[in-house]
Amino acid sequence: MVPVRRQAVLRSSRVVARDTWWMEFDCPEIAETSVAGQFAMLGVGLDTAGTWLLPRPFSVGWTGPGGVAGFLVRTFGAGTRAFTRLAVGDEALVLGPLGQPYVLEPGRSIECVAGGVGLAPFIALAASEAAAGRQVRLIYGERNAEAVFDLDLLRELTGHEPEIYTEDGRMGTMGRVLAGLDPAGDALLLGCGPTPMLRALAEFARTNHRDLQVSVEEHMGCGIGTCQGCVVRSSDGRWVKACVEGPVFPADSLDWTTGG
Amino acid sequence: MAERVGSRTDLSQTVFGVTFHSPVLLASGTCGYGQEYADLIPLDDIGGIVTKAVSVEPRVGNPPHRVAETPGGMINAIGLENVGLEVFRNEKLPWLDRALERAQVLVNVVGRSADEYEAVVSGLDAEQGFLGYEINVSCPNVKGGTMFGTDEAVLGGLVRRLRRATERPLVIKLTPNVADVGVFAKICESEGADGLSAINTFPGMVVDIDRRVPLIGNGSGGISGPAILPMGVYATWRVRQSCELPIIGIGGIRNGADAMQYILAGACLVQVGTASFVDPNAAVDVHAGIAAYLERSEVDSLAELVGGLAFPAARK
Ligand SMILES: Cc1cc2nc3c(=O)[nH]c(=O)nc-3n(C[C@H](O)[C@H](O)[C@H](O)COP(=O)(O)OP(=O)(O)OC[C@H]3O[C@@H](n4cnc5c(N)ncnc54)[C@H](O)[C@@H]3O)c2cc1C
Ligand SMILES: Cc1cc2nc3c(=O)[nH]c(=O)nc-3n(C[C@H](O)[C@H](O)[C@H](O)COP(=O)(O)O)c2cc1C
Ligand code: FES
């Protein structure tokens, strides 16, 4: 799984929720070798027209036939706005697959807990694991109904029925994803989303003795372990690099008392 | 003039007693210890790499965020986190020795005191797998608190000591955080340095206006990328005017044209840093861009162009 750098052509791009795009690129290496939880650095390269943009990390959302990799991109600042403006046929510079994936045990059921664009890695995972006969729950929360990923497309990609939570209650169940979890359950918990949500999830897992793996977010420079820019604090007090040692970590290996 | 053949275009530079087959190196802190890039680019196609700073003891580094994009560049405050002398010598250097044939290696050295710098140099000097040292003087001296590279007496003393500790090429990486970088270049020359790298990052700060705190965990950080290209070129030109030492030009280089600015201003080698984050292939492309420039200009050898900057008479 050596990362590959490639100019990748954008095959399709569509709005799937407010400020949120589903973008599929021609990326055969990522499509063939990436495992759910891994990510790619997406950039525009050293544009001769003078645009300067550092690449940004995005979870590999889905890999499909014909060497296609799908990414879920929600606009936030300059970088995400630049990518979502790409038109079909445009090229992006993609470096991936990168980082450590979720690690599943044979036969053990999983509960994927997603907040916002934290949904991305679970699209691929739900699709492949449900097809392979594993018991999968996909519990997906958003602040409001407008932010929820196009459900028809989500069902089509995953072949699976997600359980939706919105804080405004206008779609799915009103409330937060944590409400969907059974403290006595024994499925492996997988989390991805904003840090406050992950922290709450880690606390839930700790008090209920549940196994949990989370995908964390930190600013990245290189994505391949050279710049030491992307560190998070481990439970034994070290700085660990989210790009190579993560982004997926066992929740109990991280220090949840510090940071955003 | 002899007839020119494209493939004969000569980008090699003979500096520090060896030939760099390419003038393009990867800058310290942006290529780790080489290993991560080996899967992505043919390292032997470029002139060499400069390692992440090595200190006597491993360094832990700063809290996040450590990096963020800034207009035309980025800010970083890594805190010189590195594996330390021991691991570098036992694990990283042997890999470099095995993996690289043509590419040269400079070891970037950092310390909190002159003793610490000297300990790294003495601890490595007998090893194989590298050409010489690039001394990072953009860090605070525990005695006195100012940076090594911003105090004339402190810098002079450091260079003098390191000169006694090694016969290998000793390159001092200047900080731009001084009134006249030429003065510091001259000091390094008179204390026996073999070359100068110009330049390190500029101090900077980004404010998170929502939380009303610095965006970077350390508070401030170093600015790199195209935003500092003209300042790096200027520093190179000032250094060229102040001393005779070979210069390695650094700061904001993205392509062959950027590199040629440094070379015409007086640099014989260049380093590519932040641009490698945008495209891991950046250094290889910079090399190709320099070659294309020579072709276009019908110049056979890059060495002819070093310091070839002319000033129109009226504007002198
Ligand atoms: C492993 C990983 C996977 C991710 N997967 C997805 C995904 O599938 N879909 C999606 O929409 N977003 C994802 N993100 C978050 C995404 O990378 C950020 O939203 C994006 O970097 C913000 O860039 P910007 O230019 O729009 O924002 P700006 O605020 O303008 O960015 C400024 C700087 O902050 C950094 N930055 C800001 N927010 C984040 C953040 N949350 N994470 C990392 N860097 C940040 C940028 O790299 C840049 O250096 C992921 C992040 C990580 C670390
Ligand atoms: C993430 C990062 C880490 C760096 N670490 C070091 C270092 O350890 N030692 C050093 O001398 N310079 C370090 N630098 C400075 C670069 O080597 C270079 O001088 C500077 O970034 C300007 O070049 P650029 O604009 O091409 O990046 C670092 C720069 C960055 C961006
Ligand atoms: S992003 Fe550079 S080390 Fe992780």
Side-chain angles (χ1 to χ4, degrees):
Chain A
M1 270 188 324
V2 172
V4 172
R5 164 204 179 273
R6 86 148 37 236
Q7 293 291 153
V9 174
L10 180 62
R11 274 231 198 138
S12 68
S13 174
R14 57 163 134 171
V15 175
V16 290
R18 196 185 49 209
D19 300 333
T20 312
W21 277 254
W22 178 249
M23 306 177 76
E24 293 186 348
F25 289 91
D26 273 323
C27 284
E29 298 85 2
I30 288 179
E32 279 154 29
T33 66
S34 80
V35 181
Q38 288 192 295
F39 69 100
M41 296 296 281
L42 255 61
V44 294
L46 287 166
D47 182 358
T48 44
T51 313
W52 171 260
L53 194 69
L54 289 175
R56 307 284 198 260
F58 294 93
S59 300
V60 178
W62 189 71
T63 55
V68 165
F71 295 90
L72 179 58
V73 182
R74 180 161 290 171
T75 54
F76 188 70
T80 44
R81 270 200 302 276
F83 301 134
T84 54
R85 275 197 220 105
L86 291 176
V88 170
D90 285 353
E91 286 186 343
L93 191 66
V94 180
L95 179 65
L98 303 168
Q100 305 303 322
Y102 291 103
V103 181
L104 309 187
E105 296 158 32
R108 184 169 181 194
S109 354
I110 53 174
E111 292 178 341
C112 308
V113 187
V117 284
L119 173 66
F122 300 134
I123 298 176
L125 195 67
S128 61
E129 294 304 318
R134 188 189 295 271
Q135 205 170 336
V136 179
R137 278 182 76 197
L138 176 53
I139 306 158
Y140 164 41
E142 288 283 5
R143 207 152 263 159
N144 50 49
E146 288 73 24
V148 175
F149 190 102
D150 177 339
L151 284 179
D152 289 333
L153 178 59
L154 188 57
R155 289 190 194 101
E156 185 192 315
L157 291 170
T158 60
H160 200 80
E161 192 58 36
E163 301 167 41
I164 308 292
Y165 286 77
T166 54
E167 288 177 34
D168 67 358
R170 286 190 296 111
M171 195 183 284
T173 309
M174 181 160 168
R176 300 195 172 166
V177 282
L178 232 58
L181 297 176
D182 175 5
D186 65 358
L188 172 62
L189 289 171
L190 308 175
C192 187
T195 305
M197 177 204 117
L198 296 183
R199 182 177 290 122
L201 192 58
E203 180 56 24
F204 171 88
R206 198 181 59 79
T207 46
N208 297 297
H209 309 287
R210 299 283 306 269
D211 291 333
L212 168 66
Q213 296 170 19
V214 292
S215 176
V216 301
E217 283 191 4
E218 186 45 65
H219 291 199
M220 291 186 178
C222 65
I224 57 172
T226 67
C227 76
Q228 330 255 15
C230 61
V231 296
V232 294
R233 180 77 93 176
S234 70
S235 50
D236 58 1
R238 292 174 305 125
W239 294 120
V240 289
K241 287 181 256 185
C243 71
V244 289
E245 289 155 271
V248 178
F249 293 95
D252 60 11
S253 74
L254 297 177
D255 175 0
W256 294 98
T257 61
T258 54
Chain B
M1 214 209 304
E3 208 182 324
R4 294 186 60 262
V5 181
S7 60
R8 274 195 16 223
T9 304
D10 181 10
L11 266 64
S12 71
Q13 296 279 31
T14 301
V15 205
F16 313 132
V18 299
T19 299
F20 290 75
H21 73 91
S22 159
V24 185
L25 284 70
L26 296 176
S28 177
T30 62
C31 60
Y33 304 97
Q35 251 160 311
E36 293 85 353
Y37 274 95
D39 290 333
L40 288 167
I41 65 170
L43 288 173
D44 271 321
D45 283 7
I46 56 170
I49 79 163
V50 187
T51 69
K52 176 70 194 168
V54 177
S55 55
V56 187
E57 300 293 338
R59 291 267 188 101
V60 175
N62 291 326
H65 303 309
R66 289 180 172 186
V67 295
E69 185 167 308
T70 56
M74 72 182 280
I75 183 168
N76 89 79
I78 307 297
L80 294 167
E81 176 164 336
N82 77 90
V83 296
L85 171 63
E86 210 50 36
V87 173
F88 177 73
R89 184 173 49 203
N90 297 337
E91 294 170 24
K92 308 296 177 182
L93 201 50
W95 182 87
L96 287 164
D97 191 30
R98 278 195 311 277
L100 303 181
E101 274 177 34
R102 298 202 292 175
Q104 302 286 352
V105 176
L106 292 176
V107 178
N108 189 271
V109 179
V110 77
R112 281 169 300 205
S113 63
D115 289 344
E116 287 193 4
Y117 280 96
E118 193 179 335
V120 176
V121 168
S122 309
L124 290 174
D125 221 46
E127 304 294 324
Q128 286 180 24
F130 72 110
L131 173 67
Y133 306 97
E134 180 182 70
I135 307 301
N136 176 2
V137 294
S138 301
C139 46
N141 178 357
V142 281
K143 286 192 207 127
T146 57
M147 276 190 201
F148 284 92
T150 58
D151 183 313
E152 296 170 32
V154 170
L155 181 65
L158 178 66
V159 177
R160 197 176 318 137
R161 268 186 80 169
L162 297 180
R163 180 69 293 166
R164 273 191 247 120
T166 182
E167 288 178 5
R168 288 182 187 254
L170 183 62
V171 179
I172 311 301
K173 185 167 180 179
L174 299 169
T175 167
N177 199 16
V178 293
D180 182 3
V181 72
V183 171
F184 291 83
K186 189 97 203 112
I187 290 170
C188 294
E189 182 178 48
S190 51
E191 296 297 349
D194 298 300
L196 298 166
S197 288
I199 50 173
N200 215 314
T201 53
F202 282 79
M205 187 182 237
V206 177
V207 173
D208 177 338
I209 60 167
D210 293 325
R211 294 189 301 141
R212 298 182 188 156
V213 296
L215 181 66
I216 293 297
N218 181 53
S220 62
I223 308 292
S224 62
I228 71 167
L229 173 70
M231 290 93 111
V233 172
Y234 175 73
T236 298
W237 176 70
R238 277 300 301 156
V239 172
R240 176 72 304 138
Q241 291 194 311
S242 318
C243 74
E244 302 290 323
L245 293 179
I247 303 168
I248 308 180
I250 319 169
I253 297 175
R254 291 159 299 177
N255 50 41
D258 294 345
M260 282 312 306
Q261 291 199 46
Y262 277 97
I263 289 164
L264 290 168
C268 54
L269 302 172
V270 295
Q271 291 178 20
V272 174
T274 307
S276 297
F277 297 160
V278 176
D279 185 345
N281 219 36
V284 175
D285 289 344
V286 168
H287 175 98
I290 297 171
Y293 177 88
L294 290 194
E295 297 269 320
R296 226 173 32 244
S297 323
E298 306 203 343
V299 173
D300 290 315
S301 159
L302 183 64
E304 291 172 36
L305 295 178
V306 172
L309 178 65
F311 281 75
R315 303 220 192 95
K316 242 181 188 161

